[in-house]
Amino acid sequence: MLEIFESVTKRLVEAWTSDERSGRRGGFTCRCGRPVYFDNSLCLGCEAPLGYEPNSQEVLALSPGPAVGTWMLEEQSEPLKLWRRCANFDSPAGCNWLVPADQEETLCRSCRLNNTIPDLNDPDNCQGWRKIESAKRRLVAQLLDLGLPVVSKVSEDPEHGVMFDFLRSKDEGPRVLTGHANGLITLNIEEANDSIREKIRHEMKEPYRTLLGHLRHEIGHYYWERLIAETEWHDRYRDLFGDERQDYAEALERNYQNGPPADWTSNYISAYASVHPWEDWAETWAHYLHVVDSLDTALRFGIRGDDVEQEIEPFTVEDLYDPDAPDVDRFILLVNSWVNLTTVLNELARSMGQQDFYPFVMSRPVLRKIHFIHLVVKDARGGTPLMS
């Protein structure tokens, strides 16, 4: 199966300027022919049970297996392979992912990453946890699609794995801060409350703040430790992003006191990225995931380049981190298509009185960083060496 980037760029090359519509209608289809979606566990048309199988990355119709609680997939190459629903299917998380019936683990690839979940005796926590888990499943699905290592620090790899704490601040205690430390990602469950998150976004003067954005940012810190620290990429990272050995606490205090540099838009994807090289990496990493996943979704729904009548000043391969790396022509096609598409999507959002769908400006220095991350990701999944 093609990895997500190769899948996206293949469709771009073959269909972006083609008369044929690209991608699968709605991404997934039930056996009755109706479109179904990533989080669905039931087809609303024929009422077929549905499940997400992370290996094939498909939402498929299910048929009852020979034993109670087991299922067979509608489309599978192994007719005798049986599946069970994730143990969190009937929980407030409402997980629709599947687990092989012959393994002892009862939680799916996403849910087994949880170290701490909120107190489910509180209805607000139940609602917030459901939203957070939905965002996390999208994150984990994309990471698996990219071929990146996704293993549980809780039950699989205590040294190198990743895990999540979803916590709520106590009235009498300090506020829970979203962050990452040594493979543990902490998220304040209050971020699942739209009004609270929007209030914080306004106070922080941020153009964008979402649960998925938080998770993509924090997982970026985790992959910095896995893919950059003390590897052949480390010196190249410092040349591009800066030296992370500068005092982090001092950098934060300087930002809180003075704000970002006046010219931050020329070199960073966000104001927060200018705080410290670690934050620049995490913000740019999250942005890379935003771009690849969003454009892939657009293509799956059949949006073509010819549908978007908007002139842009295109990037060229000379704007990339390594103009001689493999597939640079396809990478530039991906990025220019994204800029073209989001220009129109911003206008659509404005026509509905909403904030911009894509409230960012991708400068050439930022593009170099995004390309660097793409090369790191491709190398991490076992590709040929990309740097000379």
Side-chain angles (χ1 to χ4, degrees), residues 39 93 118 124-140 142-143 164-168 175-179 185-198 200-201 206-220 282-283 285-287 289-290 293 355:
D39 281 323
D124 288 341
N125 285 349
C126 293
Q127 184 178 24
W129 186 45
R130 188 179 187 89
K131 291 180 180 179
I132 290 171
E133 288 296 333
S134 178
K136 180 160 70 71
R137 287 193 293 272
R138 289 187 179 274
L139 169 72
V140 173
Q142 184 182 19
L143 298 176
F164 293 82
D165 279 354
F166 301 130
L167 308 174
R168 180 183 291 276
R175 176 175 172 78
V176 172
L177 298 178
T178 294
I185 293 174
T186 301
L187 180 64
N188 188 335
I189 194 173
E190 294 174 4
E191 289 282 350
N193 185 307
D194 294 341
S195 61
I196 292 176
R197 191 177 62 256
E198 178 62 17
I200 297 173
R201 187 191 70 79
E206 297 172 334
Y208 172 90
R209 190 181 184 93
T210 66
L211 291 174
L212 185 55
H214 277 314
L215 296 175
R216 284 174 170 163
H217 174 100
E218 299 305 337
I219 204 74
E283 285 286 271
W285 173 278
H287 200 80
L289 297 186
H290 291 334
D293 198 25
Q355 66 184 43

Side-chain angles (χ1 to χ4, degrees), residues 39-91:
D39 281 323
N40 288 165
S41 58
L42 182 72
C43 175
L44 298 181
C46 68
E47 299 188 350
L50 305 171
Y52 180 80
E53 200 281 281
N55 293 325
S56 65
Q57 298 167 357
E58 296 275 356
V59 175
L60 297 168
L62 307 176
S63 300
V68 175
T70 64
W71 300 91
M72 296 181 294
L73 301 182
E74 183 71 15
E75 302 173 14
Q76 61 177 348
S77 57
E78 303 172 75
L80 299 180
K81 188 173 180 62
L82 299 177
W83 301 84
R84 287 182 282 105
R85 289 197 178 277
C86 174
N88 276 335
F89 174 71
D90 290 320
S91 76

Side-chain angles (χ1 to χ4, degrees), residues 1 34 129 144 173 203 386:
M1 182 182 63
R34 293 179 175 89
W129 186 45
L144 293 173
E203 292 172 347
L386 299 171

Side-chain angles (χ1 to χ4, degrees), residues 251 254-255 259-261 264 268 270-277 279-280 283:
R254 185 168 56 250
N255 177 71
W264 70 264
Y268 303 96
S270 69
Y272 191 60
S274 69
V275 170
H276 188 274
E279 300 304 341
D280 191 11
E283 285 286 271

